Amino acid sequence: MNVVASSPAPAARAGDPDAALLATVETLRPLIAEHRSALAVGPDLPEPVAEALIDAGLTQLWLPRGLGGPETHPLRVLAAIEALAELDGSVAWCAAISSGGASRFADLIDRDAMRALMPAGKKFAGSGSGQPTGTAVRDGAGWRINGRWSWASFCRFSSVSALMCLEIEGGQPKLDAHGRPSVRGVFMASRDVEVVGNWNAGGLRSSGSHDVVCTDIWVPDARTVDGARIMMPHDREPLYMLPMASAAAIAAAGVPLGLARASIDALIDLAQTKTPHGGKVPLRLREDVQVAVAR
């Protein structure tokens, strides 16, 4: 065997039923290539890339049809995120967080309340945190929100923030019927959330996974949901009854898959002409390289 060839990338597979979605991903290739240097530095996506990602609808793949979204099948979400990750890991991660997080769970709150949060005439983009590191205190017909959350990816470009809070009653965490702390998910306009600006990482450098802070923000009941319903939704359409952990895993799994595919393809391209120091033949003709790529 003289040439090591890779299998076609997802966007190139003949007869792919997801061709339209993957073609949408492909339209971002030139823009991502143009901003490659900035993406390698971060800490956020370059604004043109972020806006193009939103305009393409790739940050709202799981948004319900009732809210103007596509309700994309989970396997198609996975394929789209994988294709994005072949172009850039941070771009794919931001799409996964927005599509598999805030847009996925937008189905759990009142539709009219959610529509009021969404930007008019613009595609949906969300960010937030599933860790209940903030607090929610009952205040009339709503909740008073305070706290700080870490790793709120894509927060500088999101329109809606979904944050998990501990319910506080009488100055102490409120306990549910099983004696566990009660948790509440809250949806709020991202303009009400302060971005700390502390993302500095070795990987996913442009994911903008900063800490965010809320200080005494009031959120009405209609924009909140009991934590138990988020973890295990019920009485919903099948797509929206996936447990939170499963939904997050489906969306995020495409990122390492796409990065791996891009890495393999890059090695194959290099192997066509690269001759290692002290060697006499290009890498593509070495059996150990062929075996490693095959594995």
Side-chain angles (χ1 to χ4, degrees):
M1 181 170 64
N2 293 326
V3 178
V4 178
S6 68
S7 61
R13 291 176 187 144
D16 195 323
D18 307 319
L21 181 56
L22 295 178
T24 298
V25 172
E26 189 63 21
T27 63
L28 298 181
R29 183 184 292 273
L31 186 63
I32 290 173
E34 178 185 344
H35 293 276
R36 178 67 60 206
S37 296
L39 285 163
V41 177
D44 299 283
L45 295 185
E47 187 171 352
V49 175
E51 292 300 330
L53 187 68
I54 296 170
D55 289 344
L58 295 169
T59 56
Q60 61 171 40
L61 295 175
W62 254 338
L63 193 68
R65 289 192 183 94
L67 291 171
E71 286 192 21
T72 308
H73 188 283
L75 292 181
R76 292 178 181 173
V77 172
L78 178 61
I81 300 303
E82 180 179 350
L84 275 172
E86 290 188 48
L87 304 180
D88 184 83
S90 291
V91 174
W93 181 258
C94 290
I97 291 297
S98 182
S99 287
S103 73
R104 159 72 174 77
F105 292 103
D107 184 66
L108 294 175
I109 70 168
D110 179 81
R111 287 281 170 90
D112 290 336
M114 191 67 201
R115 289 191 190 96
L117 280 175
M118 296 171 66
K122 186 177 179 180
K123 297 287 179 64
F124 174 88
S127 64
S129 174
Q131 298 298 318
T133 55
T135 60
V137 178
R138 169 62 73 183
D139 184 359
W143 301 81
R144 192 67 60 178
I145 308 302
N146 287 277
R148 178 168 177 156
W149 295 260
S150 296
W151 303 304
S153 304
F154 205 48
C155 53
R156 290 201 189 277
F157 298 104
S158 68
S159 46
V160 178
S161 293
L163 302 167
M164 296 294 285
C165 301
L166 285 176
E167 292 186 18
I168 302 298
E169 188 174 70
Q172 299 293 326
K174 180 182 176 182
L175 302 181
D176 62 18
H178 303 285
R180 297 172 298 201
S182 295
V183 177
R184 182 158 294 271
V186 300
F187 288 74
M188 64 179 69
S190 293
R191 62 177 177 271
D192 293 332
V193 178
E194 176 190 353
V195 177
V196 175
N198 61 337
W199 182 242
N200 181 14
L204 296 180
R205 289 183 177 179
S206 289
S207 63
S209 303
H210 307 285
D211 286 11
V212 294
V213 173
C214 286
T215 305
D216 208 31
I217 303 298
W218 188 82
V219 178
D221 277 327
R223 294 180 184 175
T224 76
V225 58
D226 180 80
R229 288 193 66 214
I230 293 180
M231 296 302 295
M232 189 65 72
H234 56 85
D235 298 329
R236 321 299 298 174
E237 293 295 322
L239 178 60
Y240 298 97
M241 289 178 65
L242 282 170
M244 182 170 70
S246 300
I250 290 170
V255 178
L257 289 173
L259 291 174
R261 165 57 58 194
S263 298
I264 293 170
D265 288 345
L267 173 60
I268 290 171
D269 288 342
L270 178 67
Q272 304 308 307
T273 57
K274 175 67 175 178
T275 300
H277 179 70
K280 296 182 180 180
V281 298
L283 288 173
R284 69 182 177 86
L285 297 179
R286 289 180 51 161
E287 293 178 357
D288 59 330
V289 173
Q290 294 181 13
V291 170
V293 170
R295 284 176 176 166

